[in-house]
Amino acid sequence: MTMTETEFHSAVDAVLARIENAVEASDTLDVDLEAGILTVTCPDGTKVIVNRQTPNREIWVAARSGGFHFTSREGEWRDTRSGAELFASLASIIASQGGESVAFG
């Protein structure tokens, strides 16, 4: 069943807040959440961008390694291609691009 737009925005706001809180604990990564777009800036200046794609009810992640689309399945955000979970994927992306381990707890 597809989420309503209100449910989707609420769910994504919670995800972005969780990412922001986890990344803020880092000394080397910078995080900025503005207008629903979360940007993680790595020490080398590269960015990982997380934002919502409302029409598709997806969360999109843009990183040096590529673009990833996540949809809500059974209470988890899963990559539409690989099925990987959002927070596990993000931890891996940030570790490889930013050289820092982030725990999303």
Side-chain angles (χ1 to χ4, degrees), residues 9-105:
H9 285 300
S10 209
V12 174
D13 287 344
V15 165
L16 294 177
R18 185 171 164 192
I19 295 167
E20 183 181 32
N21 289 335
V23 176
E24 277 181 340
S26 163
D27 292 331
T28 59
L29 301 169
D30 186 47
V31 64
D32 181 52
L33 178 56
E34 199 170 310
I37 299 169
L38 185 134
T39 304
V40 177
T41 304
C42 299
D44 65 359
T46 62
K47 298 181 186 317
V48 176
I49 298 168
V50 183
N51 68 351
R52 72 188 81 214
Q53 186 59 30
T54 303
N56 301 353
R57 302 291 193 269
E58 291 178 349
I59 294 175
W60 287 8
V61 176
R64 192 167 53 200
S65 56
F68 307 90
H69 300 181
F70 295 84
T71 190
S72 181
R73 281 193 220 140
E74 297 162 20
E76 291 187 318
W77 291 93
R78 295 274 173 189
D79 187 300
T80 58
R81 287 179 296 223
S82 72
E85 193 273 331
L86 171 66
F87 293 106
S89 296
L90 214 45
S92 174
I93 289 166
I94 291 171
S96 75
Q97 186 169 323
E100 176 127 0
S101 196
V102 175
F104 291 102

